[in-house]
Amino acid sequence: REHDRSEWKQAVHYLAGETSVFVGDVMEVLVSMTPRFTVRMMQQSPCSVEAPLWVKAPLAAKCSATLPILPYHFLMLTDVHRLQVYADALREAVRQQRKRLGRRVRVLDAGAGLGLLGMTAAMEGADVWLCEAVPLMRQMCREVLGANAKEIAEKEGLVQLLPPMMSTRLQVGEDVPHKFDIVVSEVLDLWGLGEGVIPTMRHAHKKLLEDGGVMIPSRLVVFAQPLELQLWGPAERDNKVDLSPLGSLLKCKFSPMRINQFPHRMLSEEPCPVMEIDFRNVPSQPPDGAPNLDNVQLCIRMGGKPALRARMSTVPITTSGMLCGYGVWWAADLGNGHVISSAPSSPQRSWKQLMRWVDPPRFVSEGEEVQVLSCYNENQVNVEDVHVPKAMVDQYQEQVSQQLHQQQGMPLPPQGKPTREEPSPAGTRRGSQPQQKKKQVREVGSDAAVAAALTAASDAVHSGAAVGAAAAAAGAAGAAKVEELYADLVEVD
């Protein structure tokens, strides 16, 4: 079967150094197979009496060399799209700030790595401060700066390399002389928050950024899209075998993957923005038990503490199919229309997407709506599917209807039959308060607040998310009912 990308990568075997090659040279390659394979190379060249020392295969050491950076650093350094988007956004921000301020722009590169972003700003004539906490990475950054010092000087840029430290420790007046006009940081992972972008940007905005300053990125939007993706479905069909026992072994909630490399179908027309994080206004850590679910007095917890924020979203299904999970990715706003995204459609190669599995998968029909609860803390985003069986919806609708009738002093309707509309009292227009209460009953029952709590109660890991999500959909009346009946379930990790 043809695929856009191969399921296997290739390997690049680096020599311990570089050497020139000429037409007519003979390159001898020795390959040995052990649990891993080793490649060694010898050069026989008529243009040199002896091959350089770094080309020779040493007897007691490996001939190949490895860059002293982590594998994902190498991948990101070779991601042309990512580098270009960040560079364009930073150049435009420096030019705008210089025009606004009428002076040299001060830029902080937090988590500088090799210093590429900082050097981009310096090439625009900015006064750049680089902050890198990893000593080995900082040393490499220093060498890269030295190799580019002449070009930076020609562009009238300035670069200061700070001692190895976290940017969250920087203090104006002690470590740096002034606040900055631009703070740029590329500490995003496939989760979006896993490398500490929230504490980095929170501290920068509060302590290091001038009034009117620019943060790159300024916000992060998390997307989720329901999809049909059966990992071993094609293998079952092609080989006429049953691989269903593998499903019982797939215990993870999330799987990092490149969704486009697997046969799949999106079940909604567009991805749903389930959470937006404004780095200029990140919520502080709520006290234990404080409400953090939008529009509802409930607390959703992550990792033993209240989440910074939680939100309920509704996604309309536009294509019938088997809901296997949700594809999750993010988009970061770099300003002036520049956006970097980990979406399947993005040409970047630095980040995969996340697959949030639904266990067990279920069939959803066109026109149906699915409910998604999303929440985040300082280093993680969580997405939960909230599904309530129709029988529980009907049961709760009946309970709420009975409660409202008792509050109004009205006789209870017969079991299983709809309530007849009562005549409007004198002076009251039809469709006013009594009819609004009926409408509220329908809304609460259709979203099934307590039904979600009942479903969630069987699973302590997911119960807090399900109760909170159902209450969000139900509104104030449903939330109060959930708190009253299931108070011990609304704060479960």
Side-chain angles (χ1 to χ4, degrees):
R1 181 181 287 108
E2 295 294 331
H3 291 283
D4 293 338
R5 297 181 181 178
S6 171
E7 296 182 7
W8 293 285
K9 299 180 181 179
Q10 300 78 42
V12 177
H13 190 84
Y14 290 95
L15 303 177
E18 297 178 352
T19 182
S20 300
V21 292
F22 305 92
V23 176
D25 287 4
V26 177
M27 315 299 292
E28 294 184 358
V29 179
L30 172 65
V31 179
S32 59
M33 300 298 295
T34 56
R36 56 180 296 181
F37 68 87
T38 302
V39 178
R40 296 185 178 187
M41 188 270 289
M42 288 287 292
Q43 178 186 23
Q44 296 179 6
S45 172
C47 299
S48 60
V49 177
E50 188 176 11
L53 293 178
W54 57 76
V55 177
K56 289 186 175 182
L59 298 178
K62 293 181 179 179
C63 180
S64 60
T66 302
L67 290 175
I69 57 177
L70 296 173
Y72 67 84
H73 284 139
F74 179 84
L75 180 64
M76 298 175 80
L77 283 172
T78 58
D79 187 344
V80 177
H81 174 77
R82 165 189 163 273
L83 295 173
Q84 190 64 52
V85 173
Y86 257 95
D88 290 345
L90 186 54
R91 290 190 188 102
E92 191 166 349
V94 170
R95 293 166 187 168
Q96 287 181 346
Q97 290 291 86
R98 182 171 61 236
K99 182 177 180 180
R100 182 179 74 88
L101 299 169
R103 58 168 173 79
R104 189 190 298 273
V105 179
R106 295 190 292 268
V107 178
L108 171 66
D109 185 356
L114 296 178
L116 296 182
L117 291 177
M119 286 191 295
T120 298
M123 294 292 188
E124 293 292 326
D127 179 9
V128 179
W129 293 70
L130 303 177
C131 185
E132 173 56 50
V134 180
L136 178 59
M137 188 65 70
R138 181 185 176 278
Q139 177 62 33
M140 293 187 64
C141 177
R142 181 178 179 179
E143 295 179 10
V144 170
L145 288 174
N148 293 273
K150 180 179 179 181
E151 289 76 8
I152 294 173
E154 290 175 353
K155 298 292 185 179
E156 300 182 352
L158 298 174
V159 178
Q160 305 284 340
L161 181 59
L162 291 162
M165 63 189 304
M166 300 290 290
S167 67
T168 51
R169 293 176 50 201
L170 289 177
Q171 299 294 327
V172 175
E174 297 182 9
D175 305 297
V176 293
H178 307 285
K179 289 187 175 183
F180 297 94
D181 307 304
I182 299 175
V183 175
V184 60
S185 183
E186 204 290 68
V187 287
L188 300 168
D189 66 350
L190 78 163
W191 293 87
L193 308 180
E195 293 186 12
V197 65
I198 282 185
T200 296
M201 289 309 203
R202 177 193 283 146
H203 175 79
H205 185 265
K206 184 177 181 180
K207 301 289 187 180
L208 305 175
L209 192 66
E210 288 277 14
D211 293 339
V214 174
M215 298 178 68
I216 302 177
S218 60
R219 68 188 182 108
L220 189 78
V221 179
V222 180
F223 294 89
Q225 189 165 12
L227 55 83
E228 180 180 87
L229 189 155
Q230 297 173 329
L231 289 178
W232 36 82
E236 288 182 314
R237 290 192 299 270
D238 294 348
N239 298 282
K240 296 180 174 58
V241 295
D242 181 6
L243 300 178
S244 58
L246 295 177
S248 62
L249 303 176
L250 184 63
K251 300 298 184 182
C252 59
K253 290 172 57 177
F254 290 92
S255 294
M257 62 172 60
R258 298 195 184 277
I259 291 176
N260 283 345
Q261 292 189 0
F262 295 87
H264 69 280
R265 288 196 306 157
M266 296 297 185
L267 302 183
S268 66
E269 187 173 358
E270 297 291 340
C272 176
V274 297
M275 184 63 71
E276 179 177 340
I277 305 170
D278 185 352
F279 294 133
R280 296 162 297 192
N281 187 27
V282 178
S284 57
Q285 179 63 52
D288 197 29
N292 57 4
L293 184 59
D294 286 1
N295 305 317
V296 180
Q297 295 296 308
L298 290 178
C299 178
I300 303 300
R301 297 166 64 88
M302 295 179 66
K305 298 190 297 184
L308 296 182
R309 186 187 169 200
R311 179 185 175 189
M312 184 71 181
S313 304
T314 299
V315 185
I317 298 297
T318 57
T319 301
S320 299
M322 188 64 68
L323 176 62
C324 299
Y326 296 86
V328 181
W329 55 86
W330 50 260
D333 184 1
L334 307 185
N336 297 305
H338 299 286
V339 176
I340 188 72
S341 174
S342 64
S345 58
S346 172
Q348 60 81 26
R349 297 185 294 108
S350 299
W351 303 285
K352 298 179 181 179
Q353 298 83 47
L354 287 166
M355 179 67 178
R356 174 58 169 100
W357 300 104
V358 171
D359 185 25
R362 67 178 187 274
F363 184 80
V364 292
S365 302
E366 180 181 352
E368 186 178 340
E369 292 181 341
V370 294
Q371 307 293 327
V372 178
L373 174 71
S374 56
C375 53
Y376 70 92
N377 57 20
E378 289 201 349
N379 53 30
Q380 185 180 358
V381 173
N382 191 33
V383 174
E384 296 283 353
D385 171 67
V386 179
H387 171 58
V388 183
K390 187 177 183 303
M392 291 188 175
V393 174
D394 296 338
Q395 178 185 359
Y396 180 61
Q397 183 177 12
E398 185 175 328
Q399 293 175 359
V400 174
S401 176
Q402 292 176 1
Q403 184 184 38
L404 290 178
H405 277 79
Q406 290 172 356
Q407 291 175 354
Q408 299 169 16
M410 299 169 58
L412 294 178
Q415 293 290 334
K417 294 184 179 181
T419 305
R420 292 181 56 190
E421 184 174 339
E422 298 294 329
S424 298
T428 304
R429 291 185 303 163
R430 184 175 298 275
S432 60
Q433 186 67 19
Q435 188 170 356
Q436 290 174 2
K437 286 184 179 294
K438 276 192 61 183
K439 182 178 180 182
Q440 185 184 46
V441 172
R442 288 197 299 272
E443 289 177 348
V444 171
S446 62
D447 290 309
V450 175
L454 293 172
T455 303
S458 63
D459 188 346
V461 175
H462 296 178
S463 58
V467 174
K481 186 66 176 177
V482 171
E483 280 194 299
E484 175 186 351
L485 300 179
Y486 302 96
D488 58 338
L489 292 180
V490 299
E491 295 185 3
V492 179
D493 295 348

